[in-house]
Amino acid sequence: MKYSIFGESHGPAIGVLLNDIPAGVTLDMEEISLEMGRRAPGKSAISTARKEADVPEVLSGLCGGFTTGAPLCAMIKNTDARSGDYSLLKRFPRPGHADYTAAARYDGFADMRGSGQFSGRLTAPLVFAGAVAKQLLAARGIFVGAHIAAIGGIRDIPLTDGGFLKDKTAETVLRAAARKELPVIDDGAGEKMREAIAAAKREGDSLGGLIECAALGLEAGIGEPGADSLESLISRACFAVPGVKGIEFGAGFAFAEMRGSAANDPMEMADGRVSMRTNNNGGVSGGISTGAPLLFRAALRPTSSIAREQDTVDMEERVNAKLVVPGRHDPCIVHRAVPVIEAAAALALLEAVQKLYGIRGLCGRRQ
Amino acid sequence: MKYSIFGESHGPAIGVLLNDIPAGVTLDMEEISLEMGRRAPGKSAISTARKEADVPEVLSGLCGGFTTGAPLCAMIKNTDARSGDYSLLKRFPRPGHADYTAAARYDGFADMRGSGQFSGRLTAPLVFAGAVAKQLLAARGIFVGAHIAAIGGIRDIPLTDGGFLKDKTAETVLRAAARKELPVIDDGAGEKMREAIAAAKREGDSLGGLIECAALGLEAGIGEPGADSLESLISRACFAVPGVKGIEFGAGFAFAEMRGSAANDPMEMADGRVSMRTNNNGGVSGGISTGAPLLFRAALRPTSSIAREQDTVDMEERVNAKLVVPGRHDPCIVHRAVPVIEAAAALALLEAVQKLYGIRGLCGRRQ
Amino acid sequence: MKYSIFGESHGPAIGVLLNDIPAGVTLDMEEISLEMGRRAPGKSAISTARKEADVPEVLSGLCGGFTTGAPLCAMIKNTDARSGDYSLLKRFPRPGHADYTAAARYDGFADMRGSGQFSGRLTAPLVFAGAVAKQLLAARGIFVGAHIAAIGGIRDIPLTDGGFLKDKTAETVLRAAARKELPVIDDGAGEKMREAIAAAKREGDSLGGLIECAALGLEAGIGEPGADSLESLISRACFAVPGVKGIEFGAGFAFAEMRGSAANDPMEMADGRVSMRTNNNGGVSGGISTGAPLLFRAALRPTSSIAREQDTVDMEERVNAKLVVPGRHDPCIVHRAVPVIEAAAALALLEAVQKLYGIRGLCGRRQ
Amino acid sequence: MKYSIFGESHGPAIGVLLNDIPAGVTLDMEEISLEMGRRAPGKSAISTARKEADVPEVLSGLCGGFTTGAPLCAMIKNTDARSGDYSLLKRFPRPGHADYTAAARYDGFADMRGSGQFSGRLTAPLVFAGAVAKQLLAARGIFVGAHIAAIGGIRDIPLTDGGFLKDKTAETVLRAAARKELPVIDDGAGEKMREAIAAAKREGDSLGGLIECAALGLEAGIGEPGADSLESLISRACFAVPGVKGIEFGAGFAFAEMRGSAANDPMEMADGRVSMRTNNNGGVSGGISTGAPLLFRAALRPTSSIAREQDTVDMEERVNAKLVVPGRHDPCIVHRAVPVIEAAAALALLEAVQKLYGIRGLCGRRQ
């Protein structure tokens, strides 16, 4: 299933086109709606005040609740656009935003109202596509879930701790986290994160964080070495999410200070099946799934839009300038990015699975 | 320029096929040879004893020293194969290696002699391709270089420190590093790394590390948001390199504990040109180059092959087993991976540049 | 510029997503509208009675009349759907239609109302995309035009005759043809075609035909040998048009009875420029444009939907059956397919041009 | 299975890289050799005198007779190169050849010795790839075969006549044809073709022809509408074969003079299975296989290299010139192109099958 996102924040609509989708799959639209709700803005004090229905209209590829096998296009109309807020961006590019790079790339013609195609709003169709991917993966027994690993230095319990990764426990805690406003395992940590976000907001500032994502139930043997390794596919998809600036699998950056004797995951027979005693490699070896839970973490930079005055340039007068970014700001988007990272991971995994089993291998019916 | 690697470690040959290459480019084969020499094994006490000429034969696409515009295929014959060393791998998969996952993915038919297509040896054609990419980028004024950022916890001077990133200085120190056996900026750090590697080797163990890579001279406006962002393209290429388990751009994982007011790179006018006072975003914003040096770090796991006894399974008897991996081992491959990471980055950047300027835009001649 | 069509005839909407589009291009929406009008049904006695506004809504990628460089999605709502006409198709597949193959491919889940994604209606977004491609090509001096070469055995004057291919003459006659209901060069032939169509309609039957298409102003050197040859790209695009069953370049099938001495196009110097005295190769040699007009013909089968009773099967009872296809029918679609073939050719040519010159090479401004 | 051809006629080697190949498939190398022998030159008076062993060396992806699942690279060394024959080509481009277009496309840097990458010799690796594809298709019960439909106006018996297309009969006659020097069904026609070729050769001239190709045993439901229609995939692959200038499916160009009542293939139940009483659509409807034999014809232009003097230009002096093309010439390549067209068709069909069933769906073993 290939996906292609389109739209600009304040244009007529945003959306996604899905190709190579199996026919005859029942899409659970309520489930998709719930996924999109997890990402949606406007729910609380810690998110932007912009309110959008974000109801996707399926334009094609779905008939009577079943996929038809034709390209599936889902569109979300932009209803709460306030273009006026952003009129000075071309002259005074916002630090940390893509205003300046977009001008260079698109020769001054990018539609930057509401940050245009760089807006976090474009992650809504990505979550839609990811929700479809998740349902297809679920039919093969694969679950993808994530939680906030840290915000502003405050850490949630890692999945690798506390035995969560006896698969079903991890799924349970991740499903529980998904229902919370701040998707964490440890509610105490969540409460502290909320306070930290509120404090940053009061100070006209913003916070970054970490997201930990797991895929459970993935059989051994998915993926391949080289540029279609699972790490390659997943990292590519995750770096398409605005604000992601780092990704690591398993022990990741900690490997740099480990020795091979500690890093290698010892293998053992358990109930007649091969398993790994540790999972330092995050469920991927040689670019291929090991059968252990796939585990990665993504680092997100603090939201670029802050209320404080910042140093920038005046592109017209070619002099230095001060800027106070107008408009509505999220002091933190890490919690809203959790379903987006899940979506990116699910889409990447589906690509690897589909390469091996084809479109028909995903239809959830017997061949 | 698309690249496609082929070969297995102990098969007849390995190589790479390059497509969409501009015609009429003079390839500096000596320069390519030097690049490949940086990666080659067998040079010293700290690398594997396997010696290979690693001389690429160009089978097509080059005539009289110029590219012809036809697909360029370069082949490296395997000359120093000792298959006998690896005969028990199918029965006793090596922890940390892809033996087990390859068996699952390729239904037991993978050629695992010398680790087959999972061998670090497959990075030789990648370096070849990268060397071609570097020459094409150089014709546009772009330089790609890297150094060891850390091995076994011992750190080299980061490029971000000490003012190296007034472009030309960084290029100078990276070019100097490339000529060293351990490509570092600070020779004192290099000496300590060497000792740490020797110590690990004595103890039958191995070390991981970090590589810092920079692209200098990249104009603003290369790349795009979404799955073809510069971060997406570079991370995809880097995770194709065996042993890479993490990647971060600019401040990367440190962003998770930063606030927006510190993370945003303030802009200023300097000599009539826009520049960024800091470079926390590593030269990429919204997936597009900012004109500041592109900077990222890759984390490499310790070499999987160690001399110590390890726990594994006996795939035939379906019981636990002990394994001492036979054969030749690199106690550390971080230094040899430096030109490989450069190659991956150069290939990814070339893809982004070519998307904008086409095959003809890369031929280095006026249109 | 990549294009991806979506939609089903009686679903909510059809449309197209265009990627890798240059920024800052003024799209002439009136011109696009005219192109779409050439294809639109409902204009006369010789076309289907279904009337649709077919007004494309651009959902993204266009702002203030200029392309933004972001993916451009254009949607056409389905407004005149009458699903009831088609309810028995699953049980009694229509001969010549895709009812039976769609059932096999999509496991019975295809949305076949109005022929679903197999409907000729899906060529509307293709014409939209082609109209954008034509405008980009026009900025490079390339014109793509076509005319009816034959309907029901009645032939129009071939472009190769009468000296039309002194480029500008051909462009003039093709532009004139485009404004006619039956786009022909010779109005006398057009009148006979109209009569033949009317006669076929009276008899509950339908007619096939030929379309001749030319690209003028194409420089020598576009394309390449192999699977991205101009012939490969154009034929792939044209066979995506429903009803196309054959394609030939230059002398095409007549080559089979020619000798090399007659088939080879002699070269000559004219005004200091290389030209071909004949154009048997249709402007393509070795997959690459020669600089002579690119010329090809496409064969279209008669419309499948006819009013006569036909033999088919009853998929439920598994017995033979008779079928009279209900609904509205075009006795001939060759004239309406003319702009569709132009669109397919323009998109294929743009792909080849863009491969050489990049996204920026198409923006029509100086680099 | 993706394929990528490389090499130039008089460079070190030519070859092909196959990706996404299933593991554990036994390649019948003798069968591959036979296929390549069908295309090889130097066998008789009616072919070029150039003799080449054309023995492919598999460099990767094959171990112990089984595919390993890794990219499979096969190389054929160029052993009988005589570069001297071609030294004046850059100055005096040969009519009908790609000398002039290659110069334009590759800015004068193409390696045109022996026609470089435009040489018919490049079809050898294509036949290799096609032979692999055929074996994979055979494991699914699909047979691809072709015969000369006509040379120089002399026609073989069409497959559509004489009831050959009760599948197994057609396979038998095509297998028999494949063993003949001129692969025809009717030996009498073959004898006349041989005489016509000899006559053309005596007169320093060359002949074109037609090839008819069939795929038998293809299930209904392979392919899709749009640019990945079976016709699109097959035509793209066939136009990659040098000399192909036309392609038609089923009735093809004859559709242009047919009426719908004759063109539509009536459906009927035979032994409880759906079948088509006629096969005007050549086994494809809506881009998808119907289950009837897939049938198409390709038109090949006469060989460009003829012994007669021809008109060309002197690129240096910029004046008209006369040219007698030196070197060895095939007076006809239609018979040698038969296995090449089969290869192109097999590769296209495999792509469509693999899209539905994945890499694993092709391994010929039970999942």
Side-chain angles (χ1 to χ4, degrees), chain C residues 155-198:
Chain C
R155 298 193 168 256
D156 193 16
I157 305 171
L159 280 173
T160 36
D161 291 7
F164 291 134
L165 289 171
K166 322 295 181 206
D167 278 32
K168 292 300 165 193
T169 318
E171 182 170 341
T172 304
V173 297
L174 290 172
R175 283 192 185 280
R179 286 189 296 271
K180 305 174 187 175
E181 190 191 355
L182 287 184
V184 289
I185 298 172
D186 172 10
D187 288 330
E191 195 48 46
K192 284 179 200 156
M193 291 175 191
R194 187 184 314 274
E195 287 161 16
I197 297 170

Side-chain angles (χ1 to χ4, degrees), chain C residues 203 205 228 236 261 264 301, chain D residues 205 228 236 261 264 301:
Chain C
E203 296 162 37
D205 219 330
D228 281 346
R236 181 182 195 177
S261 54
N264 288 348
R301 44 160 297 145
Chain D
D205 218 331
D228 280 346
R236 180 183 193 175
S261 54
N264 289 347
R301 43 160 296 144

Side-chain angles (χ1 to χ4, degrees), chain A residues 357-364 367, chain C residues 104-107, chain D residues 219 221 356-357:
Chain A
Y357 294 104
I359 293 176
R360 291 224 148 149
L362 297 181
C363 71
Q367 294 303 312
Chain C
R105 169 66 174 80
Y106 300 107
D107 300 322
Chain D
E219 70 191 73
L356 276 180
Y357 293 103

Side-chain angles (χ1 to χ4, degrees), chain C residues 3-349:
Chain C
Y3 62 101
S4 196
I5 306 287
F6 62 85
E8 283 128 330
S9 184
H10 290 205
I14 60 177
V16 63
L17 180 55
L18 304 178
N19 282 283
D20 296 341
I21 206 164
V25 174
T26 320
L27 287 190
D28 183 336
M29 295 305 286
E30 197 171 341
E31 182 66 32
I32 291 176
S33 216
L34 284 171
E35 287 293 297
M36 298 191 69
R38 294 171 62 199
R39 191 216 65 90
K43 290 189 308 191
S44 73
I46 59 173
S47 293
T48 172
R50 179 172 177 173
K51 283 188 183 58
E52 304 216 5
D54 272 356
V55 180
E57 295 173 50
V58 177
L59 301 180
S60 63
L62 197 68
C63 187
F66 292 93
T67 57
T68 65
L72 192 157
C73 186
M75 172 186 74
I76 303 166
K77 282 193 189 131
N78 291 323
T79 53
D80 182 28
R82 299 190 221 159
S83 310
D85 286 354
Y86 297 88
S87 50
L88 289 172
L89 298 188
K90 290 208 174 178
R91 181 162 176 190
F92 302 104
R94 294 166 296 174
H97 272 276
D99 302 339
Y100 175 71
T101 56
R105 169 66 174 80
Y106 300 107
D107 300 322
F109 289 97
D111 174 6
M112 292 306 286
R113 296 173 298 161
S115 294
Q117 63 169 332
F118 299 90
S119 167
R121 182 158 168 67
L122 269 287
T123 58
L126 189 57
V127 169
F128 178 94
V132 174
K134 279 176 161 186
Q135 294 186 17
L136 293 171
L137 290 170
R140 296 187 70 90
I142 302 165
F143 168 81
V144 178
H147 70 117
I148 303 169
I151 282 180
I154 300 156
R155 298 193 168 256
D156 193 16
I157 305 171
L159 280 173
T160 36
D161 291 7
F164 291 134
L165 289 171
K166 322 295 181 206
D167 278 32
K168 292 300 165 193
T169 318
E171 182 170 341
T172 304
V173 297
L174 290 172
R175 283 192 185 280
R179 286 189 296 271
K180 305 174 187 175
E181 190 191 355
L182 287 184
V184 289
I185 298 172
D186 172 10
D187 288 330
E191 195 48 46
K192 284 179 200 156
M193 291 175 191
R194 187 184 314 274
E195 287 161 16
I197 297 170
K201 188 179 187 182
R202 279 193 305 272
E203 296 162 37
D205 219 330
S206 63
L207 296 178
L210 296 173
I211 291 170
E212 186 181 43
C213 184
L216 311 172
L218 193 63
E219 69 191 72
I222 304 295
E224 59 183 61
D228 281 346
S229 71
L230 285 188
E231 291 109 328
S232 289
L233 298 180
I234 291 171
S235 65
R236 181 182 195 177
C238 285
F239 279 116
V241 179
V244 173
K245 295 298 280 189
I247 191 166
E248 58 179 0
F249 291 82
F253 276 84
F255 272 129
E257 307 200 1
M258 288 168 79
R259 287 191 157 201
S261 54
N264 288 348
D265 297 312
M267 303 175 77
E268 61 189 10
M269 280 287 168
D271 304 329
R273 301 183 55 209
V274 176
S275 69
M276 315 279 162
R277 200 177 302 144
T278 56
N279 190 11
N280 288 320
N281 283 290
V284 194
S285 185
I288 301 170
S289 59
T290 65
L294 189 143
L295 269 175
F296 71 90
R297 269 172 307 281
L300 279 94
R301 44 160 297 145
T303 326
S304 304
S305 285
I306 56 176
R308 294 187 182 189
E309 184 183 78
Q310 296 179 83
D311 288 343
T312 188
V313 291
D314 178 335
M315 296 296 283
E316 281 179 21
E317 303 285 342
R318 311 293 295 176
V319 296
N320 288 336
K322 299 287 183 186
L323 173 72
V324 177
V325 179
R328 301 154 298 189
H329 310 307
D330 268 332
C332 182
I333 51 91
V334 178
H335 52 298
R336 289 178 56 202
V338 168
V340 184
I341 291 296
E342 290 175 12
L347 286 159
L349 286 174

Side-chain angles (χ1 to χ4, degrees), chain D residues 208-264:
Chain D
L210 295 173
I211 291 170
E212 186 182 44
C213 184
L216 311 171
L218 192 64
E219 70 191 73
I222 305 294
E224 59 183 63
D228 280 346
S229 71
L230 284 189
E231 291 110 328
S232 289
L233 298 180
I234 290 172
S235 65
R236 180 183 193 175
C238 286
F239 278 116
V241 179
V244 172
K245 294 298 280 189
I247 192 165
E248 58 178 1
F249 291 81
F253 276 83
F255 272 130
E257 307 200 2
M258 289 169 78
R259 287 190 157 201
S261 54
N264 289 347

Side-chain angles (χ1 to χ4, degrees), chain B residues 71-116:
Chain B
L72 193 156
C73 186
M75 171 187 74
I76 303 167
K77 283 193 188 131
N78 291 323
T79 53
D80 182 29
R82 298 188 222 160
S83 309
D85 287 352
Y86 298 87
S87 52
L88 290 173
L89 297 188
K90 289 208 173 177
R91 181 162 175 190
F92 302 104
R94 293 166 297 174
H97 273 275
D99 302 339
Y100 175 71
T101 56
R105 170 65 175 79
Y106 300 107
D107 299 323
F109 289 97
D111 174 7
M112 292 306 286
R113 297 171 297 160
S115 293

